[in-house]
Amino acid sequence: MFVITPCAAGCGRPAVDGSALCAAHLVNPLEEGKRAGDNILRQKMIRDLNAQGLQFNGVDFSGRNFCGCGFGGALFSGCKFSSCSMQQVFFDFAVFISCDFLEVDFRYLSFAGSEITGCKFDGSELMDINFSGSKISDTLFNNNDLYNSRFIASAVSNTSFINCNLKTVNFSKYIGENVVFKSSNTAEAVFEMEELG
């Protein structure tokens, strides 16, 4: 798991890898995001990376394997994660705009409190993923295995879960507007806390 080194500015936030400062104290967080993205692209396996709060624009992360990394509060715009594998990666309170997650294998990730807009999660394994408290709009979750994932208290709009495995997926207290579950096993999902017995 990534090591948290406190920001040298004394704010208590974690410093990003390769810097003594957190993203909030960097002179140019966008440039630092480009540097981090370039470093990621030089590797196939990325372990223990701390890139919290950085900005990634148009980076193609496709085919990479990530393990034990932290991207909390980061911004991803127009990025591609196709055919990626990830385990124990944290995207808490991150923002994703128009990103592609096609045919990925994600396990034990957290997108808690994140904002996901105009993204595609298609043909993927998304098992034990925490989307709780997230805001998801105009996004496709089609042909996915979402086994044991959580959307607790999330706000989901204009989004489809077509032909998905929703076994033990928890949608308790979620707010949905124009959400499509066509050909998905919704009877095996949890929509009310009382069902957890």
Side-chain angles (χ1 to χ4, degrees), residues 93-113:
F93 302 99
V95 175
F96 297 88
I97 303 166
S98 302
C99 293
D100 289 341
F101 299 87
L102 307 177
E103 299 178 357
V104 299
D105 184 356
F106 288 178
R107 296 167 195 265
Y108 312 109
L109 272 60
S110 180
F111 290 87

Side-chain angles (χ1 to χ4, degrees), residues 138-161:
D138 304 300
T139 293
L140 305 175
F141 285 93
N142 298 336
N143 304 302
N144 291 322
D145 187 347
L146 287 151
Y147 177 79
N148 206 37
S149 291
R150 294 168 304 288
F151 292 83
I152 299 168
S154 59
V156 183
S157 63
N158 303 314
T159 293
S160 64
F161 293 87

Side-chain angles (χ1 to χ4, degrees), residues 33-46 49 56-64 66 79-81 84:
K34 183 179 179 334
R35 183 196 62 79
D38 289 344
N39 284 340
I40 290 169
L41 296 179
R42 288 190 201 99
Q43 308 169 58
K44 276 300 223 187
M45 181 69 185
I46 298 89
L49 174 71
F56 299 92
N57 294 317
V59 181
D60 188 348
F61 297 106
S62 297
R64 301 298 186 283
F66 294 81
C79 293
K80 294 183 180 180
F81 295 87
C84 276

